[in-house]
Amino acid sequence: MKLYSYFRSSAAFRVRIALNLKGVSYETVPVHLLKSGGEQFGEAYVRTNPLSLIPALDDGGQVLIQSLAIIEYLEERYPEPPLLPDDPVSRAYVRAIALSIACDIHPLNNLRVLRYLVREVGLSDEKKDAWYRHWIELGLGQLDRIVSSSRRSGRYALADQVTLADVTIVPQIFNARRFACDLAKTPTLAAIADRCMELDAFARAQPSAQPDAE
Ligand SMILES: N[C@@H](CCC(=O)N[C@@H](CS)C(=O)NCC(=O)O)C(=O)O
């Protein structure tokens, strides 16, 4: 299995965690998002993923894209340990957390959006960083309320079971810390992320542990 990855990509980070949790070995194919104008736009990678986004997973020539679709694929192919609970309501809770991060929070802060704000809209770096922090702090703060007030949460987002929710929370908290966001309204998610990082599967997936880390 080959994972097209960039060490700082939080979407790739999600897939790396899922692969590690399921004990699936893979080879990293680094795609540098900044070098040479961004290798994600190069012809070689566009043939793999026409969306020009990281990650993509090549499983024996079958290329999969979109981190959550890839993780659901892994869940179906390698059911143990499960990343989705059995109970339908808990599944919906876990998916709601993952989708809030992957669909509502992360896309607003993606590299291409930030670049457009600076290059086309003319925002200063300072204003661009303010945009970044605004959406992260708002989104994670709201999500923290959902998780902290849920009777389902515990050591992790869902009791003591590591799920898809944690797989998405950890990279987003990593990003928030990297960009010095104020996490005062996000104590529950930050604590869950710290507990997850005690697990080998999460620690091995972190940016600094990647072969392309700078
Ligand atoms: N919804 C996609 C998002 C993928 C994505 O945004 N990847 C970022 C890195 S985290 C990327 O490749 N950005 C390149 C760019 O913005 O040009 C997924 O979950 O896989």
Side-chain angles (χ1 to χ4, degrees):
M1 237 184 247
K2 284 193 292 189
L3 178 68
Y4 293 85
S5 179
Y6 176 60
F7 73 113
R8 278 200 178 116
S9 158
S10 55
F13 192 172
R14 295 173 199 147
V15 176
R16 297 193 300 253
I17 297 168
L19 285 163
N20 292 346
L21 283 168
K22 290 186 177 287
V24 178
S25 59
Y26 65 95
E27 175 200 338
T28 299
V29 181
V31 179
H32 202 293
L33 296 185
L34 303 169
K35 251 186 220 158
S36 326
E39 290 176 356
Q40 70 274 35
F41 303 114
E43 193 43 42
Y45 188 67
V46 172
R47 256 185 268 121
T48 303
N49 184 0
L51 299 180
S52 285
L53 293 171
I54 291 294
L57 184 74
D58 183 332
D59 186 4
Q62 190 66 56
V63 177
L64 307 162
I65 58 170
Q66 286 289 350
S67 62
L68 295 191
I70 295 171
I71 294 170
E72 294 242 7
Y73 166 80
L74 293 171
E75 179 78 354
E76 285 157 16
R77 269 212 70 187
Y78 306 95
E80 293 299 325
L83 295 178
L84 287 168
D86 289 336
D87 156 50
V89 179
S90 298
R91 275 169 102 88
Y93 163 80
V94 164
R95 283 192 169 119
I97 295 168
L99 291 170
S100 297
I101 291 173
C103 302
D104 296 338
I105 300 175
H106 175 261
L108 289 167
N109 299 294
N110 204 354
L111 179 62
R112 61 187 180 176
V113 172
L114 301 178
R115 272 203 177 136
Y116 189 86
L117 288 174
V118 172
R119 291 181 185 170
E120 307 298 327
V121 181
L123 290 195
S124 62
D125 277 343
E126 205 174 41
K127 288 226 164 93
K128 182 252 296 168
D129 290 346
W131 162 286
Y132 188 100
R133 292 193 188 107
H134 171 77
W135 294 113
I136 294 266
E137 288 167 12
L138 179 73
L140 287 182
Q142 291 168 333
L143 203 50
D144 200 273
R145 254 182 98 163
I146 292 169
V147 174
S148 63
S149 63
S150 168
R151 58 182 177 76
R152 291 191 163 73
S153 60
R155 180 164 178 78
Y156 305 114
L158 179 71
D160 58 359
Q161 183 185 350
V162 172
T163 65
L164 176 65
D166 308 297
V167 168
T168 53
I169 288 169
V170 167
Q172 202 60 56
I173 291 285
F174 246 76
N175 270 2
R177 287 183 170 145
R178 179 168 161 241
F179 287 91
C181 295
D182 179 2
L183 293 183
K185 294 198 177 114
T186 317
T188 310
L189 297 187
I192 286 172
D194 290 341
R195 288 194 283 270
C196 286
M197 286 306 294
E198 291 167 10
L199 304 173
D200 180 62
F202 284 81
R204 279 191 291 119
Q206 68 183 302
S208 61
Q210 301 317 300
D212 57 331
E214 287 162 7

